[in-house]
């Protein structure tokens, strides 16, 4: 099993919160806020924090 973290941007709205994707075997298993991103400093709304389910199911 390969795992890793990938920095990206939440796909839902124009705020553009920074997210960190935790990836396992090429599937997103968890999303957390990027504490270094100036748009959100680690915080995410409900849509952003639950985006892993939508991204995984569309893969
Ligand atoms: S986490 Fe929420 S506020 Fe931030 S970009 Fe995503 S939908 Fe918008």
């Amino acid at each position: 099993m390969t795992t890793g973290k990938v920095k990206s941007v939440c796909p839902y709205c124009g705020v553009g919160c920074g997210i960190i994707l935790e990836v396992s075997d090429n599937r997103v298993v968890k999303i957390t806020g990027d504490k270094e991103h100036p748009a959100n400093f680690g915080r995410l709304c409900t849509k952003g924090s639950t985006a892993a389910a939508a991204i995984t199911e569309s893969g």
Side-chain angles (χ1 to χ4, degrees):
M1 182 190 327
T2 56
T3 59
K5 294 186 177 182
V6 179
K7 286 193 173 192
S8 188
V9 177
C10 175
Y12 280 121
C13 87
V15 175
C17 294
I19 57 176
I20 298 175
L21 309 172
E22 292 187 29
V23 181
S24 178
D25 285 338
N26 288 326
R27 294 179 73 85
V28 177
V29 294
K30 185 179 179 183
I31 289 181
T32 53
D34 183 351
K35 292 179 179 170
E36 297 178 349
H37 198 283
N40 59 316
F41 295 105
R43 292 168 296 193
L44 294 176
C45 76
T46 302
K47 288 194 294 184
S49 62
T50 57
I55 292 171
T56 298
E57 293 304 317
S58 67

